[in-house]
C-alpha cells in the first residue's frame, strides 16, 4: 500500500445476524462431513426475530438433526433471550432440505477426474503486512471483535450483547515511517440499563488499545468512535434479518485484493467457490512467505463439471522478485488446482468449517488450518533454485 493512502476494513462478531447464519450453515456442513466424507452440502439459513429457516440441497448418509445443530450454535453465541435478539430454546425453526440435483452430483463424483461443482472466478491473496500474511486493517478489525466476544462470554465485559461490528482505517507509511491508525469504529449491542461512560471506557482501554498494542503502529492521534449512532439495545436477529453468505468481504481480506463473488459457508469443498479460494490463499501465502513478492493475488476460473482450470493468473502489483509471467509458470508446475487434488492435498474433508465461519477464514493463527501452512515454500524455492 502506498504511503499516505488510507485503507479501511470492517468485521462483524459471531452475534451479527448474517454471521449467525454462516455459523449454522457451516456447523451443519461439518457434522455431515464428520459422518460421511461423501456428503454434498449446499445449506442456506435465514434468521429474523425469533424465526429461523434452514434450506438447501444436502445429499448424505449422515444422520443430522439440523434443528438441534442450529440451537446449539445459537446457545454457544449467547442468544438465550428473545429481548437480546433471539431465544434459542423457544424459537420457531423450519427445515426445508432436499437432495442435490442429480445433474450436479454426477459432475462432481468422478474421483480423480472430479469436476468443479459450478463455474466461477476465484481469488486468493496474501501480503507481508502482518505475521499472518493478512492486510493490517482486516486483521485488527477481527482481533478487536474476538477479544470483545471472549470478554463478553467470560462476564468481564459488562452490559455487552452478542451483536458487534468493528471498522479500522490505517494510513500507510513507508520503511522510515510507521503506519498510522486513522480511525477505529466499534459498535456493540448492550443492555438497556447500562453506564455509557463506563461501557465506552472499557471498550477503549480493555479492548481496542489492548489489540492495537500488539502492532507496531502510530496510535498517537487516532479517532475512536463507539456506537456512533447512539444507543444499540435492539440488535441481533431482532434488529435485522440475517442470511448465509452476505459477509464475503469480512470472511476474506477486508476489501484488499479482489473477490469472485461466491460465498463460502454451507458449501462442501466440491464447490470451488470454497475449495479453490482456500487453495488460492495457500498458493499466494507460500509465494509471499518465499520472499518472492510483498503481496500476491491468484485468480483462477472453472467450468462446471470440468476438472482442469479454464484460466490462471498471478498478480504481484510490482512487488515481485520475478515478473508475474514466471510466477504463473511456476504455479502451473508446482500446484494442482483440480478439485480432487485440492481437496486431498489440503485435507479439506477433515476441516472444521464451523470454526472458520466466524472471525475470518484466513490468517487464523489460533487454528491449525491446512491451507494456512507454509509447507510449499521449499517447493517454490527449489523451482527457482533459491
Amino acid at each position: 500500500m502506498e504511503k499516505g493512502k488510507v485503507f479501511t476494513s470492517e468485521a462483524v462478531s459471531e452475534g451479527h445476524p448474517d454471521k449467525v447464519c454462516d455459523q449454522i450453515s457451516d456447523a451443519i456442513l461439518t457434522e455431515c462431513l464428520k459422518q460421511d466424507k461423501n456428503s454434498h452440502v449446499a445449506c442456506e439459513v435465514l434468521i429474523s426475530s425469533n424465526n429461523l429457516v434452514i434450506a438447501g440441497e444436502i445429499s448424505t448418509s449422515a444422520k443430522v438433526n439440523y434443528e438441534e445443530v442450529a440451537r446449539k450454535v445459537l446457545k454457544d453465541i449467547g442468544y438465550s433471550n428473545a429481548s437480546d435478539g433471539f431465544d434459542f430454546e423457544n424459537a420457531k425453526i423450519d427445515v426445508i432440505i432436499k437432495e442435490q440435483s442429480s445433474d450436479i452430483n454426477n459432475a462432481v463424483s468422478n474421483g480423480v477426474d472430479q469436476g468443479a461443482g459450478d463455474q466461477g472466478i476465484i481469488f486468493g491473496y496474501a501480503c507481508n503486512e502482518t505475521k499472518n500474511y493478512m492486510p493490517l486493517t482486516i486483521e485488527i478489525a477481527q482481533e478487536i471483535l474476538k477479544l470483545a466476544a471472549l470478554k463478553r462470554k467470560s462476564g468481564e465485559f459488562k452490559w455487552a450483547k452478542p451483536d458487534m461490528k468493528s471498522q479500522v482505517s490505517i494510513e500507510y507509511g513507508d520503511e522510515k515511517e510507521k503506519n498510522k491508525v486513522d480511525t477505529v469504529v466499534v459498535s456493540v449491542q448492550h443492555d438497556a440499563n447500562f453506564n455509557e461512560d463506563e461501557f465506552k471506557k472499557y471498550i477503549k482501554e480493555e479492548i481496542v488499545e489492548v489489540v492495537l498494542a500488539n502492532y507496531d503502529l502510530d496510535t498517537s492521534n487516532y479517532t475512536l468512535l463507539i456506537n456512533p449512532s447512539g444507543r444499540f439495545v435492539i440488535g441481533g436477529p431482532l434488529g435485522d434479518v440475517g442470511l448465509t453468505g452476505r459477509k464475503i468481504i469480512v470472511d476474506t481480506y477486508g476489501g484488499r485484493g479482489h473477490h469472485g463473488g461466491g460465498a463460502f459457508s454451507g458449501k462442501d469443498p466440491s464447490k470451488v467457490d470454497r475449495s479453490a479460494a482456500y487453495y488460492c490463499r495457500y498458493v499466494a501465502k507460500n509465494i509471499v512467505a518465499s520472499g518472492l513478492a510483498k503481496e500476491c493475488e491468484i485468480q483462477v476460473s472453472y467450468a462446471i463439471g470440468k476438472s482442469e482450470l479454464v484460466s490462471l493468473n498471478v498478480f504481484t502489483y510490482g512487488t515481485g522478485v520475478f515478473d508475474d509471467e514466471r510466477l504463473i509458470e511456476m504455479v502451473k508446475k508446482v500446484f494442482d488446482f483440480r478439485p480432487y487434488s485440492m481437496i486431498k492435498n489440503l485435507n479439506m474433508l477433515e476441516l472444521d468449517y464451523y470454526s472458520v465461519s466466524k472471525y475470518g477464514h484466513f490468517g487464523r493463527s489460533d487454528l491449525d488450518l491446512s491451507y494456512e501452512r507454509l509447507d510449499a515454500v521449499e517447493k517454490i524455492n527449489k523451482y527457482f533454485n533459491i
Side-chain angles (χ1 to χ4, degrees):
M1 187 66 71
E2 296 177 20
K3 178 182 177 180
K5 296 283 189 181
V6 177
F7 194 83
T8 303
S9 297
E10 74 158 346
V12 300
S13 72
E14 63 204 74
H16 185 282
D18 292 330
K19 266 286 143 230
V20 171
C21 295
D22 287 343
Q23 290 166 83
I24 293 171
S25 293
D26 273 341
I28 289 171
L29 167 63
T30 300
E31 189 57 37
C32 287
L33 289 175
K34 191 182 297 182
Q35 297 182 39
D36 176 12
K37 301 304 180 192
N38 295 314
S39 297
H40 287 158
V41 178
C43 182
E44 314 289 345
V45 174
L46 179 148
I47 194 168
S48 180
S49 297
N50 220 32
N51 295 274
L52 182 77
V53 178
I54 303 171
E57 300 80 42
I58 299 179
S59 297
T60 182
S61 63
K63 305 299 180 186
V64 180
N65 186 323
Y66 303 124
E67 181 178 327
E68 186 177 283
V69 171
R71 292 191 193 276
K72 184 180 185 305
V73 170
L74 289 157
K75 180 182 180 182
D76 290 346
I77 293 170
Y79 278 127
S80 56
N81 191 316
S83 64
D84 292 337
F86 206 83
D87 177 359
F88 80 89
E89 287 186 297
N90 300 307
K92 182 177 184 293
I93 297 181
D94 292 318
V95 177
I96 311 169
I97 296 291
K98 57 185 178 181
E99 288 198 349
Q100 184 183 55
S101 159
S102 59
D103 293 339
I104 296 176
N105 187 66
N106 291 336
V108 300
S109 302
N110 297 322
V112 176
D113 295 322
Q114 173 179 334
D118 200 355
Q119 70 176 52
I121 57 171
I122 299 98
F123 293 88
Y125 179 84
C127 63
N128 65 355
E129 289 180 10
T130 69
K131 64 181 181 180
N132 295 315
Y133 298 91
M134 290 292 287
L136 261 173
T137 48
I138 186 62
E139 180 166 299
I140 294 172
Q142 298 281 20
E143 289 299 315
I144 286 171
L145 294 183
K146 278 201 287 188
L147 181 58
L150 185 67
K151 290 179 175 292
R152 171 181 64 84
K153 290 182 175 181
S154 72
E156 183 182 334
F157 187 7
K158 293 192 297 185
W159 304 300
K161 297 298 180 182
D163 194 359
M164 309 179 192
K165 296 178 76 172
S166 65
Q167 185 173 287
V168 174
S169 302
I170 300 287
E171 180 181 334
Y172 281 79
D174 55 23
E175 294 179 357
K176 299 178 181 179
E177 186 179 25
K178 288 184 179 181
N179 296 324
K180 182 185 300 182
V181 181
D182 183 89
T183 306
V184 176
V185 183
V186 182
S187 295
V188 180
Q189 182 190 6
H190 55 79
D191 281 340
N193 299 312
F194 80 124
N195 184 312
E196 184 175 2
D197 291 339
E198 187 178 340
F199 187 70
K200 290 185 175 182
K201 183 174 185 290
Y202 186 89
I203 292 173
K204 179 178 187 294
E205 296 178 358
E206 301 299 327
I207 298 174
V208 174
E209 291 183 351
V210 169
V211 171
L212 292 179
N214 294 325
Y215 299 85
D216 186 22
L217 298 166
D218 179 353
T219 59
S220 59
N221 190 31
Y222 74 96
T223 299
L224 176 60
L225 302 173
I226 299 173
N227 288 1
S229 66
R231 286 165 60 87
F232 184 12
V233 175
I234 300 173
L238 184 62
D240 197 7
V241 173
L243 290 170
T244 298
R246 286 208 299 195
K247 288 293 175 280
I248 58 176
I249 300 302
V250 169
D251 283 345
T252 53
Y253 310 104
R256 288 286 290 276
H258 296 88
H259 198 293
F264 300 156
S265 291
K267 297 177 180 177
D268 73 84
S270 71
K271 282 78 173 172
V272 289
D273 279 342
R274 182 166 220 158
S275 54
Y278 287 4
Y279 199 72
C280 285
R281 160 67 177 175
Y282 172 70
V283 175
K285 183 177 180 179
N286 276 269
I287 288 174
V288 175
S290 299
L292 297 181
K294 293 180 179 179
E295 64 176 319
C296 180
E297 182 176 78
I298 309 292
Q299 187 210 36
V300 296
S301 66
Y302 291 86
I304 188 169
K306 300 298 182 181
S307 62
E308 299 293 340
L309 290 176
V310 171
S311 66
L312 180 147
N313 222 324
V314 177
F315 307 91
T316 57
Y317 300 98
T319 70
V321 173
F322 303 110
D323 59 38
D324 291 350
E325 286 71 25
R326 286 196 68 188
L327 288 175
I328 291 170
E329 292 172 5
M330 179 275 294
V331 171
K332 287 179 177 179
K333 293 287 187 180
V334 175
F335 298 96
D336 189 345
F337 285 83
R338 291 176 299 167
Y340 175 87
S341 297
M342 292 190 299
I343 293 167
K344 180 181 179 182
N345 292 340
L346 294 184
N347 297 314
M348 292 189 193
L349 297 178
E350 306 292 336
L351 288 173
D352 177 3
Y353 291 101
Y354 171 55
S355 67
V356 294
S357 61
K358 49 190 172 182
Y359 307 116
H361 293 245
F362 306 123
R364 297 293 300 273
S365 58
D366 56 325
L367 302 171
D368 181 19
L369 300 171
S370 57
Y371 54 86
E372 288 292 317
R373 295 173 188 165
L374 297 176
D375 53 9
V377 169
E378 186 177 344
K379 295 178 183 177
I380 293 171
N381 288 338
K382 184 178 180 180
Y383 179 91
F384 288 110
N385 295 316
I386 298 175

